[in-house]
């Protein structure tokens, strides 16, 4: 494989700071660049639907919840990596758009359940399809075996390295409807 821009940059960094771990720097820097690229692709896939990435994340987190029960608002926090106050602001915005409803939890007066409206459910499904198509196109250069191996490595990395900082890696709160 021919060297890329980052390989050349790493060589320069090694000259400037002998002894640095360029292998690790290369991997982490590529992951950061890839995350930026994928976020831009996701935003482009969602733009025709008038959705920002944060809206997609909340709507699709609610998509798997039972339609009549919804999900506790606190269970949306790990997906969005937000404070409760920031989540409240986002839920306000989604509710004013007519995509969600908030209702008191009949089993716990302190809790609020968040439900998709029919319009929100339809939008979430369309958005998930657009996002999925974008993901498929982003990975089109990989074989099925390579995609499987990449998925395995990334899953292992998330589980082993950042469980406390990456709630989705260790949490089942998105699949819990209690």
């Amino acid at each position: 494989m021919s060297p890329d821009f980052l390989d050349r940059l790493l060589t320069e960094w090694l000259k400037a700071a002998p002894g640095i771990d360029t292998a690790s720097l290369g991997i982490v820097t590529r992951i950061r660049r890839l995350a930026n690229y994928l976020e831009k692709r996701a935003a482009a896939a969602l733009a025709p639907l008038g959705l920002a990435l944060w809206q997609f994340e909340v709507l699709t987190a609610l998509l798997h919840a039972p339609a009549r029960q919804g999900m506790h608002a606190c269970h949306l926090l790990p997906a969005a990596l937000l404070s409760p106050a920031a989540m409240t602001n986002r839920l306000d915005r989604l509710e004013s758009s007519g995509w969600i409803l908030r209702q008191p939890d009949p089993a716990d007066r302190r809790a609020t359940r968040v439900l998709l409206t029919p319009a929100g459910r339809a939008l979430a499904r369309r958005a998930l399809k657009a996002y999925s198509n974008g993901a498929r196109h982003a990975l089109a250069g990989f074989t099925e075996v390579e995609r499987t191996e990449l998925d395995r490595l990334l899953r292992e990395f998330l589980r082993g390295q950042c469980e406390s900082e990456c709630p989705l890696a260790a949490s089942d709160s998105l699949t819990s409807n209690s």
Side-chain angles (χ1 to χ4, degrees), residues 6 10 13-14 20-31:
L6 186 56
L10 290 169
W13 285 351
L14 188 57
I20 61 170
D21 180 0
T22 56
S24 296
L25 276 174
I27 292 167
V28 169
T29 304
R30 282 186 175 89
I31 290 171

Side-chain angles (χ1 to χ4, degrees), residues 48-93:
L49 298 171
L51 285 178
L53 192 53
W54 71 265
Q55 293 168 311
F56 166 79
E57 290 169 345
V58 175
L59 293 174
T60 56
L62 289 166
L63 190 57
H64 75 276
R68 289 185 174 82
Q69 293 178 4
M71 179 184 286
H72 277 138
C74 65
H75 289 165
L76 293 167
L77 293 172
L81 299 174
L82 295 173
S83 69
M87 179 56 75
T88 297
N89 176 276
R90 290 189 175 187
L91 293 177
D92 287 345
R93 292 167 64 187

